[in-house]
């Protein structure tokens, strides 16, 4: 069965001179007064956004920064984040967007690893940056602080002051599509994060191949993403996609709890929402879930982890809106395998996005037939250049034109793909592969279960068995034996979890991914 995508030619490649920040400015010259960004303290029109981007670019260069030097971007989501990111790119610098929920140790590593020459930081995160600089011994030429509330140290300057004191830079740096544009650090779900280097053209390709033709974003849309801008998924949702079509973006500094999300749904009336399965589970379990007539949603997107069919079906039943589930990665920048509005196959991740090729390979590196689990490889124009300073991992992941995703999938007879787990999370029980995700998706169908994560544990005979960590909904109770029986009734008997442990919450990255390596470490410690 052919995928349900609209047919047509792929977009033209950028020309030999291409600066992504300049590209977004050019996209919106016809709508200067349209609101581009709404954050917790105000809003910016497209003309104001362009003006501030050019002023930040000039200000950073005036501080002594040079072409392609890295600039750490440690900010909560706000218009200042967008202005800083695009301002650095406009100047030919390379912003390094980092997770705002890490420790000073992590930032010390990132400063040294990236050799950043300056930092753009939110006032609330400045103490963490100062501590990271002190313990890592890494000196910065300048620290630019967004909306400071107290006196700044030597070498620190207010972002507003930098903007006010700088005349707009007349021309963007003469970068090419393949020049380094920005870095994103991998989320660290399997350990030490890797500095993933993306080009100026990569966000152009994700917007042209996914944001416009698949999601169908429009100028009249109001977009709101629970995934933060430092995350590859969030960067497309909250910056590349909406700003490429002249839409309005709602930005939120705080964590995307159900209550915080509902507040924006009601007050700002976004038409497009970008979330993740963990967030959808929490929202649907909340007693404060808004009614359908309280929101303006027309389209909802999910990524980060595979969406259980039950969550998608329940959300659609409540709001009459589909959740478009897809999979992307930091290495590919955004989604390359996706469901399609109007033809969602809940329980699958949909079809390959036009412009990307996907292939499932077995342990012998040969393609596997439909119905068999294989390692997912993808190729497309938004692939990162490399992992900075990590040749071994670069070669392992970026194999010629193909990127090894680390995910396992099954291709179905209708051409859709079903997620089977991470390559390092797949379990072989009694000689048969067991997908942790399949067991997790079954567990969360129980009315008392909020979340579940499954890992492999080694028994006294050295054999792998499945163990489930379960988080129950508020005021709900259920026994381990009842959950085991529940799974046995719905899956092949060998797939049920032999051990079930209840936790108040699961360890996760800031982007909502379950950190199974921490659960494995917990299991080893308790053994």
């Amino acid at each position: 069965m052919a995928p349900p995508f609209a047919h047509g030619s792929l977009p033209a490649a950028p020309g030999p001179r291409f600066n992504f920040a300049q590209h977004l400015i050019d996209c919106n010259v016809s709508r200067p007064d349209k609101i581009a960004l709404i954050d917790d303290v105000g809003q910016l029109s497209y003309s104001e956004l362009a003006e501030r981007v050019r002023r930040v670019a000039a200000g950073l260069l005036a501080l002594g920064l040079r072409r392609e030097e890295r600039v750490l971007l440690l900010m909560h989501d706000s218009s200042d984040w967008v202005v800083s990111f695009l301002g650095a790119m406009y100047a030919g610098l390379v912003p390094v967007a980092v997770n705002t929920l890490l420790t000073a140790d992590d930032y010390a590593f990132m400063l040294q690893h990236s050799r950043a020459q300056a930092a753009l930081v939110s006032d609330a995160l400045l103490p963490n940056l100062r501590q990271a600089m002190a313990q890592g011994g890494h000196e910065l030429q300048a620290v630019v602080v967004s909306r400071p509330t107290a006196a700044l140290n030597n070498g620190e300057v207010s972002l507003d002051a930098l903007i006010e004191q700088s005349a707009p830079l007349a021309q963007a740096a003469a970068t090419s599509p393949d020049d380094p544009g920005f870095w994103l650090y991998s989320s660290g779900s399997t350990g030490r994060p890797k500095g993933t280097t993306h080009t100026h053209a990569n966000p152009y390709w994700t917007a042209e191949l996914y944001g416009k033709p698949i999601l169908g974003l429009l100028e009249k849309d109001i977009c709101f993403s629970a995934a933060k801008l430092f995350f590859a998924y969030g960067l497309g949702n909250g910056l590349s996609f909406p700003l490429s079509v002249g839409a309005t973006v709602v930005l939120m500094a705080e964590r995307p709890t159900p209550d915080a999300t509902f507040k924006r749904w009601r007050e700002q009336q976004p038409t497009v929402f970008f979330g993740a399965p963990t967030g959808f589970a929490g929202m649907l379990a909340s007693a404060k879930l808004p009614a359908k007539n309280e929101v303006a949603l027309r389209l909802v997107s999910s990524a980060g982890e595979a969406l259980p069919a039950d969550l998608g079906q329940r959300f659609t039943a409540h709001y009459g809106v589909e959740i478009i589930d897809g999979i992307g990665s930091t290495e590919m920048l955004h989604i390359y395998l996706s469901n399609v509005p109007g033809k969602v196959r809940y329980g699958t991740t949909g079809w390959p996005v036009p412009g990307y090729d996907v292939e499932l390979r077995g342990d012998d590196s040969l393609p596997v037939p439909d119905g068999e689990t294989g390692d997912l490889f993808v190729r497309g124009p938004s692939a990162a250049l490399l992992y900075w300073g990590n040749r071994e991992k670069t070669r392992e992941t970026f194999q010629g034109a193909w990127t090894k995703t680390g995910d396992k999938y099954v291709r179905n007879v209708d051409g859709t793909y079903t997620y089977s787990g991470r390559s390092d999370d797949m379990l072989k029980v009694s000689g048969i592969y067991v997908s942790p995700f399949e067991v997790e998706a079954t567990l969360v169908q129980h009315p008392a279960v909020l979340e579940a994560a499954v890992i492999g544990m080694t028994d006294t005979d050295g054999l792998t068995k499945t163990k489930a960590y379960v988080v129950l909904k508020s005021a709900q109770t259920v026994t381990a034996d009842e959950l085991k029986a529940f799974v046995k009734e719905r899956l092949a008997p060998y797939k049920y979890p032999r051990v079930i442990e209840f936790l108040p919450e699961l360890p996760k990255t800031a982007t909502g991914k379950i950190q199974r390596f921490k659960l494995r470490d917990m299991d080893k410690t308790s053994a």
Side-chain angles (χ1 to χ4, degrees):
M1 180 183 294
F5 294 111
H7 295 287
S9 58
L10 296 178
R17 176 169 171 170
F18 182 80
N19 181 290
F20 183 66
Q22 180 65 63
H23 167 71
L24 290 184
I25 291 173
D26 291 343
C27 285
N28 295 292
V29 291
S30 64
R31 51 179 74 89
D33 298 326
K34 171 80 186 295
I35 299 302
L37 307 173
I38 301 172
D39 67 8
D40 297 336
V41 298
Q43 60 188 34
L44 286 181
S45 68
Y46 272 102
S47 61
E48 291 169 330
L49 172 60
E51 175 84 0
R52 290 175 76 85
V53 165
R54 290 187 169 116
R55 287 179 179 270
V56 165
L60 292 174
L61 294 177
L63 292 174
L65 300 178
R66 298 174 297 179
R67 178 78 173 265
E68 292 187 10
E69 286 186 331
R70 268 78 66 193
V71 178
L72 194 79
L73 181 55
L74 176 58
M75 282 185 174
H76 294 303
D77 280 17
S78 64
S79 60
D80 285 349
W81 197 108
V82 177
V83 166
S84 298
F85 182 83
L86 294 178
M89 293 186 74
Y90 190 92
L93 305 172
V94 180
V96 179
V98 299
N99 186 329
T100 58
L101 298 177
L102 301 180
T103 65
D105 287 342
D106 295 314
Y107 299 134
F109 162 76
M110 291 172 176
L111 285 171
Q112 293 176 326
H113 180 251
S114 67
R115 296 198 286 276
Q117 295 302 298
L120 294 149
V121 59
S122 292
D123 175 68
L125 298 169
L126 182 57
N128 285 352
L129 179 65
R130 287 171 174 167
Q131 183 180 343
M133 292 169 60
Q135 68 188 51
H138 183 87
E139 295 186 6
L140 296 171
Q141 292 186 48
V143 175
V144 182
V145 185
S146 172
R147 305 171 191 176
T149 56
L152 299 177
N153 294 339
N154 290 334
E156 298 173 353
V157 61
S158 161
L159 177 62
D160 283 341
L162 185 76
I163 290 172
E164 291 171 5
Q165 296 165 9
S166 304
L169 188 64
Q171 289 188 328
T175 51
S176 79
D178 291 335
D179 280 351
F182 59 94
W183 288 20
L184 297 174
Y185 274 96
S186 63
S187 60
S189 60
T190 56
R192 178 67 87 180
K194 301 176 288 293
T196 311
T197 305
H198 278 286
T199 70
H200 273 266
N202 284 359
Y204 164 85
W205 283 116
T206 60
E208 293 297 317
L209 295 177
Y210 191 70
K212 293 180 182 180
I214 306 303
L215 295 182
L217 295 185
L218 304 169
E219 178 182 358
K220 65 182 180 181
D221 277 320
I222 300 174
C223 299
F224 173 44
S225 175
K228 297 300 183 179
L229 289 166
F230 63 76
F231 180 37
Y233 178 48
L235 184 65
N237 305 341
L239 195 155
S240 308
F241 294 178
L243 299 189
S244 290
V245 300
T248 297
V249 183
V250 175
L251 298 166
M252 177 178 72
E254 65 186 298
R255 291 180 59 246
T257 62
D259 285 352
T261 300
F262 299 157
K263 183 175 187 290
R264 273 69 183 184
W265 283 7
R266 289 188 172 103
E267 293 181 358
Q268 304 298 343
Q269 292 290 293
T271 58
V272 181
F273 176 70
F274 302 86
T278 297
F280 290 121
M283 288 188 286
L284 288 171
S286 172
K288 300 178 182 178
L289 182 70
K292 179 180 179 180
N293 61 5
E294 294 183 87
V295 304
L297 298 174
R298 73 165 187 87
L299 181 72
V300 175
S301 167
S302 178
E305 290 187 301
L307 178 74
D310 177 63
L311 279 180
Q313 291 161 356
R314 287 164 53 205
F315 190 94
T316 299
H318 185 79
Y319 286 113
V321 176
E322 297 172 321
I323 297 181
I324 311 304
D325 185 33
I327 186 173
S329 66
T330 303
E331 292 76 13
M332 296 301 294
L333 190 57
H334 214 275
I335 289 171
Y336 46 79
L337 191 62
S338 179
N339 277 275
V340 186
K343 259 194 176 175
V344 169
R345 300 284 190 272
Y346 282 134
T348 81
T349 317
W351 297 263
V353 172
Y356 294 92
D357 298 312
V358 302
E359 195 172 274
L360 298 183
R361 302 177 186 175
D363 294 339
D364 56 3
S365 297
L366 297 176
V368 300
D370 288 358
E372 290 191 15
T373 299
D375 292 305
L376 179 66
F377 284 74
V378 59
R379 65 180 175 189
S382 63
L385 293 172
L386 57 106
Y387 297 130
W388 182 265
N390 196 332
R391 192 174 189 181
E392 179 182 358
K393 286 292 184 183
T394 295
R395 285 180 166 178
E396 180 182 320
T397 299
F398 303 104
Q399 301 181 14
W402 293 90
T403 299
K404 183 178 181 180
T405 67
D407 294 301
K408 284 187 178 288
Y409 266 86
V410 173
R411 186 178 186 273
N412 306 310
V413 293
D414 63 353
T416 59
Y417 288 73
T418 299
Y419 182 64
S420 293
R422 291 288 298 174
S423 298
D424 52 3
D425 288 333
M426 286 292 287
L427 308 173
K428 210 166 191 178
V429 180
S430 301
I432 306 172
Y433 273 121
V434 174
S435 165
F437 178 77
E438 184 181 24
V439 182
E440 292 163 6
T442 303
L443 283 166
V444 297
Q445 292 175 28
H446 192 283
V449 175
L450 177 64
E451 293 180 303
V454 173
I455 65 168
M457 57 175 287
T458 304
D459 66 12
T460 55
D461 295 322
L463 300 175
T464 299
K465 303 296 182 185
T466 49
K467 178 175 182 178
Y469 288 91
V470 171
V471 178
L472 297 180
K473 295 176 182 176
S474 177
Q476 295 291 319
T477 59
V478 66
T479 68
D481 286 342
E482 288 172 335
L483 287 180
K484 290 177 185 179
F486 183 84
V487 174
K488 285 181 183 179
E489 291 172 0
R490 288 158 177 80
L491 297 179
Y494 68 87
K495 295 183 179 181
Y496 85 93
R498 301 320 195 260
V499 177
I500 294 179
E501 184 174 336
F502 297 95
L503 294 177
E505 62 181 7
L506 297 176
K508 297 171 188 168
T509 68
T511 54
K513 291 184 180 180
I514 297 169
Q515 293 175 308
R516 289 178 177 81
F517 74 97
K518 288 191 175 181
L519 294 175
R520 287 190 284 266
D521 289 343
M522 287 170 51
D523 187 61
K524 291 175 184 176
T525 302
S526 61

